[in-house]
């Protein structure tokens, strides 16, 4: 296990679609995920996708803190290999996001509010869930990394992109969550 270097916005590995994983149970994928978990713990984030550690494969990990789900339970650390997402209705919400590949910045991003997603875990089992609100947002953010998309590319209003520290002087808009927290 190891802490890996995180690619920042501008690195080509973050701009191209990642490749499907043939076998989620393969030792190199298990090893990759162990290193991603170490890297995420060290960085203090809530989600990480393999391209962010310079590995262009369709692997992502995430967790949702208890206070960010309606039931207060949060979502335990989840590993998804070859994930797919579908929105379950048309509703979108604006919420603050941050990204380990875009350090220091935060932005208000529109995302689907209610989605279904599925993928495989490291045992090869299917993981299939519905998600709402912040849980849905985190999954969409990490999934986008596998498509070569960073959250600023999803923003409808770039005046809502800011250095998180500067927002202590006041928020430009009301949106879900806390700027820069993720
Ligand atoms: Ni990110």
């Amino acid at each position: 296990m190891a802490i890996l270097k995180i690619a920042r916005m501008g690195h080509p590995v973050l701009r191209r679609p990642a490749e499907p994983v043939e076998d989620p149970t393969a030792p190199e994928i298990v090893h990759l995920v162990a290193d991603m978990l170490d890297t995420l713990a060290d960085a203090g984030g809530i989600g990480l996708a393999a391209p962010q550690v310079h590995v262009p494969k369709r692997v992502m990990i995430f967790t949702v803190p208890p206070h960010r789900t309606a039931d207060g339970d949060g979502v335990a650390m989840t590993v998804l290999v070859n994930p797919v997402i579908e929105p379950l209705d048309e509703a979108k919400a604006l919420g603050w996001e941050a990204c380990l590949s875009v350090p220091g910045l935060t932005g208000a991003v529109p995302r689907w509010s209610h989605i279904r997603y599925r993928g495989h875990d490291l045992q090869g089992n299917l993981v299939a869930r519905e998600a709402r609100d912040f849980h849905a947002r985190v999954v969409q953010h990490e999934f986008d990394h596998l498509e070569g998309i960073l959250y600023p590319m999803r923003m409808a209003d770039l005046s809502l992109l800011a250095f998180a520290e500067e927002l202590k002087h006041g928020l430009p808009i009301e949106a879900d969550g806390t700027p820069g927290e993720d």
Side-chain angles (χ1 to χ4, degrees), residues 13-157:
V13 74
L14 296 174
R15 285 203 297 268
R16 61 178 186 244
E19 292 167 7
V21 172
E22 279 187 24
D23 177 5
T25 70
E28 69 263 26
I29 300 302
V30 173
H31 189 127
L32 168 65
V33 168
D35 287 349
M36 287 172 64
L37 290 165
D38 281 357
T39 303
L40 183 60
D42 178 70
I46 62 170
L48 191 67
Q52 292 183 275
V53 292
H54 306 85
V55 178
K57 292 189 181 298
R58 302 186 81 82
V59 177
M60 58 188 249
I61 62 173
F62 66 92
T63 183
V64 180
H67 70 282
R68 301 304 294 269
T69 59
D71 61 10
D73 290 339
V75 179
M77 185 63 74
T78 298
V79 177
L80 282 184
V81 178
N82 298 332
V84 294
I85 293 179
E86 58 178 312
L88 291 176
D89 57 53
E90 294 294 309
K92 286 189 170 185
L94 198 61
W96 294 104
E97 296 186 21
C99 181
L100 293 170
S101 294
V102 192
L105 296 178
T106 189
V109 186
R111 298 282 190 188
W112 302 111
S113 297
H114 188 196
I115 64 170
R116 178 185 291 140
Y117 66 89
R118 58 191 160 82
H120 285 87
D121 66 15
L122 296 178
Q123 287 76 46
N125 300 312
L126 182 68
V127 177
R129 296 176 185 156
E130 272 188 45
R132 292 180 183 275
D133 304 322
F134 189 71
H135 179 190
R137 175 174 300 280
V138 171
V139 172
Q140 289 168 84
H141 176 118
E142 299 309 331
F143 179 84
D144 266 357
H145 280 298
L146 307 182
E147 296 289 296
I149 297 170
L150 298 176
Y151 79 80
M153 298 160 69
R154 291 288 192 194
M155 292 180 65
D157 180 355

